[in-house]
Amino acid sequence: MLDNLSTEQLAKLKKIGLVVFDVDGILNSGQLNFLADGREIKSFSILDGLGIKLLHKGGIKSAIITGRRSPQVELRAEALGINYLRQGREDKRIALEELWQETGFDAASTAYIGDDLPDLGAIRAAGFGATVPNGHWYVRQHADWVSSTPGGQGAGREICELILAAQEKLTPILEEYL
């Protein structure tokens, strides 16, 4: 898992205490689905959910910063024990900086994963900026790391396990399942 990482990437990952997730395109496929009455439907990967729970077992906090507002995101965040939730924030870099002011985390201790141009400022501001292979090409160009898994299919889980592995916390957590 860590074999393809540079020394610089590993050093960054070892400092992470907060992982911030975009929703549409990361924790789901990025498709918007609506019922005939206009209500929105969101689907989330169970793989990502367990990844976030593993992250918490490793003592790492989680956050969501999303440009849209939806009760489904609020319910999912609550079910997963997401520590910080910011919805309706198109200004994701500013939202991330506000989160740092409120929590005491800083750029070096933060990983951010997003997939599109509104995420780019936050990806670049975070100590470790990540994206997905189906993310915008310009975002991929500026990220520290690109997951092998597309958004909505376990990319969130992949970054969680990557961080835990870099901090030598993944194996003991996984061994709890034996």
Side-chain angles (χ1 to χ4, degrees), residues 99-158:
L99 187 61
W100 290 335
Q101 290 174 357
E102 294 168 21
T103 64
F105 286 104
D106 61 11
S109 63
T110 304
Y112 184 100
I113 184 166
D115 69 312
D116 212 344
L117 297 173
D119 299 299
L120 188 55
I123 287 169
R124 291 188 45 112
F128 189 80
T131 191
V132 291
N134 55 323
H136 190 277
W137 66 269
Y138 198 65
V139 174
R140 291 193 317 267
Q141 187 176 53
H142 287 281
D144 292 305
W145 177 78
V146 179
S147 68
S148 61
T149 311
Q153 297 180 27
R157 170 79 161 268
E158 191 175 341

Side-chain angles (χ1 to χ4, degrees), residues 5-6 30 54 78 98 100 107 143 148 155 157 159 163 176-177:
L5 295 178
S6 70
L54 296 176
E78 185 178 324
E98 290 171 0
W100 290 335
S148 61
R157 170 79 161 268
I159 193 171
I163 292 165
E176 293 176 19
Y177 289 91

Side-chain angles (χ1 to χ4, degrees), residues 29 76 102 164:
S29 68
R76 186 67 174 147
E102 294 168 21
L164 290 167

Side-chain angles (χ1 to χ4, degrees), residues 76 94 168:
R76 186 67 174 147
I94 294 169
E168 300 180 5

Side-chain angles (χ1 to χ4, degrees), residues 4 26 43 104 132 156:
N4 296 328
I26 299 299
S43 297
V132 291

Side-chain angles (χ1 to χ4, degrees), residues 28-177:
N28 68 31
S29 68
Q31 294 180 327
L32 299 176
N33 299 295
F34 295 94
L35 297 174
D37 64 5
R39 287 181 296 153
E40 185 177 357
I41 300 171
K42 288 193 180 283
S43 297
F44 298 95
S45 170
I46 199 77
L47 297 172
D48 294 336
L50 184 55
I52 291 168
K53 289 180 177 183
L54 296 176
L55 202 65
H56 294 159
K57 279 188 174 197
I60 298 170
K61 302 284 187 188
S62 61
I64 287 174
I65 298 176
T66 181
R68 298 175 55 82
R69 287 187 177 275
S70 84
Q72 296 91 340
V73 170
E74 190 170 339
L75 289 169
R76 186 67 174 147
E78 185 178 324
L80 295 176
I82 298 287
N83 302 99
Y84 312 103
L85 174 62
R86 304 293 184 269
Q87 294 197 75
R89 295 300 300 261
E90 290 292 330
D91 54 344
K92 295 182 180 185
R93 182 187 53 78
I94 294 169
L96 181 59
E97 291 170 352
E98 290 171 0
L99 187 61
W100 290 335
Q101 290 174 357
E102 294 168 21
T103 64
F105 286 104
D106 61 11
S109 63
T110 304
Y112 184 100
I113 184 166
D115 69 312
D116 212 344
L117 297 173
D119 299 299
L120 188 55
I123 287 169
R124 291 188 45 112
F128 189 80
T131 191
V132 291
N134 55 323
H136 190 277
W137 66 269
Y138 198 65
V139 174
R140 291 193 317 267
Q141 187 176 53
H142 287 281
D144 292 305
W145 177 78
V146 179
S147 68
S148 61
T149 311
Q153 297 180 27
R157 170 79 161 268
E158 191 175 341
I159 193 171
C160 292
E161 290 186 353
L162 184 77
I163 292 165
L164 290 167
Q167 295 182 8
E168 300 180 5
K169 297 176 180 177
L170 182 60
T171 299
I173 291 170
L174 294 179
E175 288 176 348
E176 293 176 19
Y177 289 91

